[in-house]
Amino acid sequence: MSNETSPAQQRKDALFSKKKHAAARMSGQELQSCDAFAAQYMAFMNSAKTEREAVEVLEAQLKENGYVPFVPGMALAAGDKVYLNNRGKSLIVATIGTAPITEGVRLCAAHIDSPRLDLKQHPLYEQEEIGYFKTHYYGGIKKYQWTAIPLSLHGVIVRSDGTKVQVRIGEDEGDPVFYITDLLPHLAGDQMKRSLGQGIKGEELNIVIGSMPFKDDKGSELVKLALMDLLHEKYGIVEDDFLSAELEAVPAFPAREVGFDRSLIGAYGHDDKVCAYPAFAAALAVPAPVHTSVVILTDKEETGSDGNTGLCSSYLKYFLMDLAECFGANGRHVMTASQCLSADVNAGFDPTFPEVLERNNCAYLNHGVCVTKFTGARGKSGTSDASAEFVGTIRRVLDAGNVIWQTGELGKVDMGGGGTVAAYIANLDIDTIDIGVPVLSMHAPYELVAKTDVWAAYRAFKVFLES
Ligand code: MN
Ligand code: MN
């Protein structure tokens, strides 16, 4: 009997990679910081369920922290703080560094839109004396998950005179919520024979919004009329104003700690606010970077990034060109010298559904922020695939900063897959790699993440912006 490590164990310790739960690698003090950060994050989640609300909440924080709107041609010096609000739906935050802008920027990109149910342009109708809104879902959802849960309604309505009214109802205590029905099991024999994907169909995602008729003995559509009356009173709108509205139904659940040990966070929209918020917080926590830091929180990722608030558009490129011009530099040279963390969530290993992930190459809860060299599907199609050299650079930055991180792919080869905004940024000739928090039940109305991974994401963005 001996306590000495065997020669094989010694060589393993020296040569093999090690997997360890974050709790085994974090001090008690760091675990406290991680809890405090989780509380901040949950407060943010409860105040910002949609891209518009995220921009509004974060813009207010920027102003409190001395950030001013970016104006092309403005004089800028190290330590200056600017931001660009792109149409109320995406945000770029920049802190000017001490290094020349031609040495590139440190860019973190995350998205603030999440899967949800958008109202159609003619949403309001009545059937059998129940009032409804018609919806068209936004992003990839499992439709059956969106029935029989409380929903809230968020967005804007632009009236015929051009004035805009904001809607946010179903979040505050005392607010009513909204609801999509499902069939009772007693009568669901036929429905249960449908495939899971067809269990609830797109045109069955109709939101119940009321049931009391307008007081009159005569006339049809009296429930619809009474509802329109209420909406007119509350928002000053008529039915045609829905034509120029963006109204989004989202789960009305607040973010909550999950588990006896409170180690997890359940919330709507972790994808991708669980990367957006830490990236934003990291930008504020690095007031004097060497390289100019740029954090972009974009819209439209869940529908493919098209549109002028999504990253297939040129708004990031234009911003970087304008920023370069403030220093008399060429934007193209700035982009070529820049580095980007494309911060988006990844699928965490779910022991209940082990068959879709490959255990050596997937992300685990509580094993830190997940770096993904390539995404894509069917032979890496659609990926920007970070170079070995750039992975090496990021690896050194994360290790030097004692960040807890892991690597993982989204699913087994040919199991499915998915893309992020990484390719659109890499296509600007910027070194880009994916990084993000592992999530369980991604795109469900209530998603799950681990607190230690959220903290690890924040630390990763911070050390990167400091590099
Ligand atoms: Mn995402
Ligand atoms: Mn997504």
Side-chain angles (χ1 to χ4, degrees), residues 111 271-272 301-302 344-345:
H111 67 92
D271 179 6
D272 181 35
E301 195 278 339
E302 295 293 358
D344 204 346
V345 297

Side-chain angles (χ1 to χ4, degrees), residues 67-123:
Y67 283 79
V68 298
F70 175 73
V71 181
M74 73 198 292
L76 288 173
D80 283 352
K81 303 160 163 186
V82 293
Y83 72 91
L84 181 122
N85 175 338
N86 179 9
R87 298 169 170 88
K89 297 203 260 186
S90 52
L91 198 59
I92 303 179
V93 181
T95 310
I96 307 304
T98 48
I101 195 80
T102 44
E103 288 183 20
V105 303
R106 295 287 184 268
L107 177 63
C108 290
H111 67 92
I112 47 178
D113 62 320
S114 299
R116 59 179 190 248
L117 307 175
D118 286 348
L119 296 201
K120 294 191 186 190
Q121 295 331 105
H122 283 294

Side-chain angles (χ1 to χ4, degrees), residues 148-187:
I149 60 170
L151 298 169
S152 58
L153 199 64
H154 302 245
V156 296
I157 305 170
V158 177
R159 291 178 287 223
S160 58
D161 63 356
T163 54
K164 189 157 79 175
V165 49
Q166 259 188 306
V167 176
R168 180 186 161 93
I169 182 162
E171 295 295 342
D172 296 332
E173 196 128 342
D175 274 1
V177 295
F178 307 96
Y179 188 85
I180 296 171
T181 56
D182 195 357
L183 211 44
L184 61 168
H186 317 63
L187 298 177

Side-chain angles (χ1 to χ4, degrees), residues 66-322:
Y67 283 79
V68 298
F70 175 73
V71 181
M74 73 198 292
L76 288 173
D80 283 352
K81 303 160 163 186
V82 293
Y83 72 91
L84 181 122
N85 175 338
N86 179 9
R87 298 169 170 88
K89 297 203 260 186
S90 52
L91 198 59
I92 303 179
V93 181
T95 310
I96 307 304
T98 48
I101 195 80
T102 44
E103 288 183 20
V105 303
R106 295 287 184 268
L107 177 63
C108 290
H111 67 92
I112 47 178
D113 62 320
S114 299
R116 59 179 190 248
L117 307 175
D118 286 348
L119 296 201
K120 294 191 186 190
Q121 295 331 105
H122 283 294
L124 179 62
Y125 71 103
E126 162 182 355
Q127 210 153 25
E128 309 306 323
E129 298 175 308
I130 299 177
Y132 290 98
F133 277 151
K134 287 299 289 184
T135 68
H136 193 139
Y137 64 98
Y138 172 102
I141 61 166
K142 291 164 102 174
K143 295 184 263 298
Y144 70 87
Q145 294 179 333
W146 293 71
T147 64
I149 60 170
L151 298 169
S152 58
L153 199 64
H154 302 245
V156 296
I157 305 170
V158 177
R159 291 178 287 223
S160 58
D161 63 356
T163 54
K164 189 157 79 175
V165 49
Q166 259 188 306
V167 176
R168 180 186 161 93
I169 182 162
E171 295 295 342
D172 296 332
E173 196 128 342
D175 274 1
V177 295
F178 307 96
Y179 188 85
I180 296 171
T181 56
D182 195 357
L183 211 44
L184 61 168
H186 317 63
L187 298 177
D190 286 345
Q191 184 201 29
M192 300 289 248
K193 289 182 198 134
R194 298 183 190 173
S195 67
L196 199 56
Q198 289 287 310
I200 292 289
K201 298 175 186 172
E203 291 295 349
E204 292 169 343
L205 292 171
N206 303 319
I207 304 177
V208 174
I209 57 164
S211 64
M212 290 301 279
F214 186 85
K215 260 196 182 307
D216 194 339
D217 297 338
K218 288 185 260 245
S220 60
E221 296 192 294
L222 293 179
V223 171
K224 175 179 167 178
L225 177 61
L227 285 165
M228 203 57 243
D229 230 8
L230 273 174
L231 290 167
H232 183 258
E233 193 182 315
K234 190 169 166 66
Y235 300 113
I237 59 164
V238 298
E239 190 177 7
D240 273 343
D241 291 331
F242 284 119
L243 295 175
S244 46
E246 282 182 335
L247 293 169
E248 310 174 1
V250 304
F253 312 125
R256 299 282 295 265
E257 293 176 310
V258 173
F260 288 114
D261 58 8
R262 300 171 182 267
S263 61
L264 306 157
I265 305 170
Y268 161 70
H270 281 316
D271 179 6
D272 181 35
K273 294 183 203 75
V274 76
C275 295
Y277 183 78
F280 178 87
L284 295 195
V286 185
V290 176
H291 293 92
T292 293
S293 79
V294 177
V295 170
I296 180 163
L297 306 180
T298 195
D299 180 32
K300 291 284 177 281
E301 195 278 339
E302 295 293 358
T303 52
S305 296
D306 287 311
N308 58 13
T309 53
L311 273 179
C312 282
S313 88
S314 298
Y315 80 95
L316 171 62
K317 183 170 80 179
Y318 292 161
F319 176 80
L320 293 174
M321 289 167 72
D322 287 346

